[in-house]
Amino acid sequence: MPRLALYALVVCALAVAAAVISFVNGSFVGVVWVLLAGLSSNMAWYYVRRAKAEKAAEAEAALG
């Protein structure tokens, strides 16, 4: 897994934890944390898919 994808997953997990803590404390700032979790999750998927596509392109170039 690419390093940037791992970083994005860590940020996602921390944002989810912060959202839970915010909501438990009765603060609606947790909505911002939920949005950050969604953004970082999408970034992680993007970097994983990009790495897979690059790997497939390299394999195709090596064969052809």
Side-chain angles (χ1 to χ4, degrees):
M1 181 176 287
R3 184 179 302 173
L4 287 174
L6 288 175
Y7 290 158
L9 282 177
V10 169
V11 169
C12 182
L14 291 174
V16 168
V20 169
I21 291 170
S22 292
F23 285 131
V24 166
N25 288 335
S27 173
F28 287 106
V29 178
V31 172
V32 175
W33 291 114
V34 169
L35 293 174
L36 182 64
L39 176 67
S40 60
S41 171
N42 287 340
M43 288 175 60
W45 279 113
Y46 169 77
Y47 288 125
V48 168
R49 285 187 311 203
R50 189 175 82 172
K52 284 183 183 179
E54 288 175 357
K55 193 174 184 181
E58 289 175 2
E60 185 177 326
L63 293 176

